[in-house]
Amino acid sequence: MRDRLKHIPPVARVILGTVLAIILLATFKPSAPTRDIVDNHARVRFVLADPQARSPQIQLFGRVQSPRAAGLTAVVTANVDSIPVRAGNRVSEGQLLIQLDDTEAALARDRAKATRDEAAAQLETTRLRYQSDKKNLALEKKLAQLSADNLERIQSLRERKLVAQTQLDEAEQAQARADLSLSQRQLSVSDFRNELARMEARLASAEAQLEQAKIDLARTTVNAPFDGTITQVSVAPGERVRPGEPLIDLFADTELEVRAQIPDRYLPAVRQGLIAGDLAASTQLEGHTLPLKLKRLAGDAADARGGIDGLFAFSHDSVKGAPTAALGRPLTITLTLPAQPQLLALPATALHGLNRLYRIDAEDHLQRVDAHIVGEAIDGDQSLLLLRADSLTGGERIMTTQLPQAIVGLPVDPQPVPGSNADTGTET
């Protein structure tokens, strides 16, 4: 045997020995201790389904605006004389905001007044000339008739060679001059109505220019068009302004509104509540709870993405003693919709995805339940989702733990949420 082993190459002997060692170790290896398999189910929390009539609430984010916000601009070219107000000041209707230098406007008014007076004088002259022309027209006719009679006599005498040709020529010239003068006088009388209309139009134009000059002079004093708050002053004393340049901005702080977008899925309920008048809304402003009222929905949805803007008005009584909301200030609105039957109030963790809950059956297995969001129930800092799940009648165990691996039939270890309607005080 040893002689045979000697004939085996060294490498082959090493491989053969290794194989034998592995076989011996596998044959005589002690068996591993065994343990009973214990189910390790996920521990989840649950509450009992309690569908009932509830009022959905939704959180909206809006900004304060005013339907009466004005940007006052210059109407005349003038220097800024004085500005007695500053941004943030509250002003009353008619209060002086900016005084412009009225020197140039006063001169323009005086020039317009002189032009008006000149036009009035020309109109009166036209009337007087007409009266004179009517009287002179009769004289012109008489002179023309006398010239015609004289020409006829001279012609008769000339035919009898009793006067020279020169006298006949002079008589014909006198007749032509008389006819021309009569024609001009007749034209002047006939054209009186047209001339009168031109003079009256010139006077009306001059009076309009005078009125415009008076208006421009009055507009050198810029007064508040309504009660409100100044938001911006765009000029300084001594600055020269021209027509159209901005002077001052203000808004009516007693007619503030909050503009907030209402998502599409809530619009049917909002429209119904707006018609019925049973919507309620409120906002928090520097520690004050201010009630709001949805007045109307925006008529233009061109800039809306996924909804339509709602216009909320502050109640007049609610702002007494409360701070004034600044224009453009962001606010969070809580809008309460009309009550709807058979709604569940569950924490957000109970909803998986956007449309499903999980019911825990009698064998502690998960079963899917279709649901959709109707709104929220907001109580202080606590917020619950209001869901509609038509397949739940009440008393079913609804999982409130957000379980990423949740599937139908998954076994779980359910525990009631402490303090909930499922908590009987027997939890260990």
Side-chain angles (χ1 to χ4, degrees):
M1 183 67 176
R2 290 180 180 179
D3 292 339
R4 291 179 180 178
L5 292 175
K6 288 179 181 180
H7 295 291
I8 299 175
V11 176
R13 283 184 287 177
V14 172
I15 295 174
L16 182 59
T18 302
V19 172
L20 291 174
I22 292 173
I23 294 174
L24 291 174
L25 289 174
T27 303
F28 297 103
K29 180 181 71 171
S31 59
T34 60
R35 292 184 299 176
D36 295 336
I37 297 177
V38 179
D39 292 336
N40 188 17
H41 298 164
R43 188 173 187 179
V44 297
R45 296 285 185 177
F46 71 89
V47 296
L48 299 181
D50 182 24
Q52 58 179 281
R54 290 183 168 91
S55 296
Q57 294 177 305
I58 55 176
Q59 291 275 11
L60 306 176
F61 301 95
R63 287 189 177 274
V64 177
Q65 67 176 28
S66 174
R68 298 178 66 191
L72 306 183
T73 60
V75 179
V76 297
T77 299
N79 295 330
V80 179
D81 189 18
S82 63
I83 307 175
V85 296
R86 297 290 182 271
N89 289 156
R90 195 178 189 284
V91 295
S92 301
E93 182 179 355
Q95 181 177 338
L96 177 64
L97 302 181
I98 294 179
Q99 180 63 58
L100 302 178
D101 185 5
D102 62 358
T103 303
E104 296 176 50
L107 291 175
R109 179 203 57 189
D110 294 341
R111 286 194 298 270
K113 186 176 184 298
T115 301
R116 191 277 311 270
D117 293 342
E118 181 183 4
Q122 290 177 345
L123 177 61
E124 185 62 25
T125 299
T126 299
R127 291 195 176 102
L128 293 175
R129 185 183 297 113
Y130 172 67
Q131 297 298 328
S132 176
D133 287 342
K134 283 201 304 183
K135 293 178 181 179
N136 293 334
L137 180 61
L139 297 177
E140 295 285 354
K141 289 180 179 180
K142 186 175 183 180
L143 290 174
Q145 184 61 44
L146 290 175
S147 296
D149 294 343
N150 183 54
L151 177 60
E152 185 178 352
R153 285 193 300 271
I154 296 297
Q155 287 175 342
S156 177
L157 292 173
R158 177 60 183 163
E159 289 175 354
R160 289 179 288 169
K161 308 275 186 194
L162 297 177
V163 295
Q165 181 64 36
T166 303
Q167 289 179 301
L168 178 60
D169 293 341
E170 290 176 351
E172 289 177 348
Q173 290 177 2
Q175 176 65 39
R177 284 193 296 270
D179 291 343
L180 179 61
S181 179
L182 176 61
S183 176
Q184 290 176 341
R185 191 74 63 181
Q186 184 67 52
L187 177 61
S188 178
V189 172
S190 300
D191 191 51
F192 167 71
R193 292 189 180 278
N194 295 331
E195 184 67 17
L196 182 65
R198 284 194 293 270
M199 291 299 103
E200 288 176 342
R202 184 177 299 176
L203 177 60
S205 176
E207 288 178 343
Q209 292 177 2
L210 177 58
E211 289 301 317
Q212 183 62 55
K214 290 180 179 179
I215 293 173
D216 291 345
L217 179 60
R219 285 175 174 173
T220 58
T221 300
V222 181
N223 298 321
F226 45 74
D227 296 344
T229 299
I230 304 298
T231 56
Q232 183 177 0
V233 179
S234 303
V235 293
E239 186 175 347
R240 189 166 182 80
V241 296
R242 293 172 176 78
E245 292 185 359
L247 297 177
I248 196 168
D249 297 335
L250 72 160
F251 69 96
D253 52 15
T254 58
E255 302 179 25
L256 293 179
E257 296 178 337
V258 183
R259 191 182 191 98
Q261 187 180 99
I262 301 174
D264 280 335
R265 64 178 180 272
Y266 299 121
L267 283 176
V270 170
R271 292 185 190 277
Q272 180 182 356
L274 188 60
I275 295 173
D278 54 358
L279 294 175
S282 63
T283 187
Q284 292 290 327
L285 182 62
E286 298 181 13
H288 293 77
T289 299
L290 304 181
L292 300 173
K293 183 177 181 180
L294 180 61
K295 302 292 290 184
R296 62 193 184 279
L297 297 177
D300 184 6
D303 297 331
R305 297 181 179 179
I308 295 179
D309 289 347
L311 284 305
F312 296 82
F314 289 94
S315 170
H316 178 69
D317 295 334
S318 68
V319 297
K320 293 181 178 179
T324 301
L327 196 67
R329 181 171 184 168
L331 292 178
T332 300
I333 300 173
T334 301
L335 177 62
T336 303
L337 304 178
Q340 299 184 32
Q342 297 299 103
L343 296 184
L344 300 171
L346 298 173
T349 54
L351 187 66
H352 289 67
L354 295 176
N355 59 355
R356 67 183 186 276
L357 302 172
Y358 282 99
R359 174 178 61 85
I360 304 174
D361 61 18
E363 288 76 26
D364 293 341
H365 290 174
L366 298 183
Q367 303 297 333
R368 175 172 172 164
V369 177
D370 292 330
H372 67 270
I373 301 173
V374 177
E376 296 179 87
I378 303 169
D379 183 12
D381 295 335
Q382 184 181 11
S383 177
L384 298 176
L385 288 180
L386 293 186
L387 306 167
R388 182 178 301 283
D390 296 332
S391 61
L392 299 178
T393 58
E396 297 91 341
R397 294 183 297 174
I398 305 299
M399 183 177 69
T400 61
T401 301
Q402 190 66 213
L403 201 61
Q405 69 273 24
I407 58 173
V408 175
L410 180 70
V412 293
D413 179 17
Q415 300 293 330
V417 174
S420 69
N421 58 1
D423 185 13
T424 59
T426 60
E427 182 184 1
T428 58

